[in-house]
Amino acid sequence: MTVLITVWGVAPGVGKSTLCGGLARWLTGAGLRVDRFREEEILTRPQFAAVAEAFGATGTVTPETLLAATAEFVDSVRAGGVDVVVADALVPFVPTLLAMGHGEDTIDAFMADLTTVLTPVSPVMVFLDGDAGTALSRAVGREGEQWLDRYVGKLARYGVAPPVTDLASAVAYLRRERGVTLGAAVRHHWNLVVIERADELPPGEVLKRAQRGLRPWLDPAGAPL
């Protein structure tokens, strides 16, 4: 049985990619076949070719296109004998749809369909919670002010609500994104591991807490139950 571990967080800079790398190494070390799906790979994975084409042509993707591509991906990992998928800021696509202007009713209907599509891979969301402002400031410190300008510009072009024009408004938007993402996951009964104050914890401690939280879906040797 395949398990999909999807890692999300309150903001860029909270440590999603670092945690994904740690989880992938841990699970590979346990002898499992692990597929680490990085966020940017959605544009190059063959199962998501239609997503990449639509985004390249219009800058947006329909919920139906995302669902069809995800169903293809689920079939491919099961056929390939993958034990665990570790997805970095990808599934359940809620922030993507929110940024593209979809309302919460549309997102909720999408989550209902997505939950059905993902049933064969037992999805578990690990959410790195904390202060969005602290996490975003950490990302700026790591990537530089030009990164922040690009990030704010991207959100401004999408016309998100509340509007984003600077660091403070980006934090306000991220707080809304957090609420919509977690709310959708709870309403549709997703398996959920929330790591509180992740922005204040060292990466090793975040990894330990994620490992403990994932135990209900992984046996002591690290194999999917």
Side-chain angles (χ1 to χ4, degrees), residues 173-195:
Y173 171 72
L174 286 167
R175 287 173 179 153
R176 182 191 178 210
E177 182 183 274
R178 171 194 179 277
V180 174
T181 301
L182 286 177
V186 170
R187 282 193 302 277
H188 293 281
H189 308 291
W190 277 48
N191 301 318
L192 188 61
V193 177
V194 177
I195 300 177

Side-chain angles (χ1 to χ4, degrees), residues 23-138:
L23 289 173
R25 289 189 295 273
W26 169 55
L27 295 164
T28 300
L32 300 180
R33 291 160 293 186
V34 178
D35 179 359
R36 183 181 175 190
F37 197 148
R38 294 169 174 83
E39 182 181 14
E40 63 272 15
E41 291 178 9
I42 194 171
L43 298 177
T44 57
R45 295 267 182 145
Q47 299 83 14
F48 287 85
V51 172
E53 181 179 356
F55 185 78
T58 67
T60 62
V61 181
T62 66
E64 293 77 16
T65 300
L66 284 172
L67 286 169
T70 304
E72 285 190 41
F73 178 70
V74 168
D75 289 343
S76 72
V77 296
R78 295 183 72 204
V82 173
D83 294 312
V84 184
V85 177
V86 179
D88 183 352
L90 185 71
V91 178
F93 309 108
V94 170
T96 299
L97 294 173
L98 192 63
M100 290 180 178
H102 294 283
E104 293 183 31
D105 288 345
T106 298
I107 290 172
D108 201 63
F110 170 83
M111 277 292 288
D113 292 335
L114 182 66
T115 301
T116 300
V117 167
L118 292 176
T119 296
V121 291
S122 304
V124 185
M125 181 191 293
V126 178
F127 193 89
L128 303 184
D129 212 352
D131 182 76
T134 300
L136 196 57
S137 295
R138 191 161 70 180

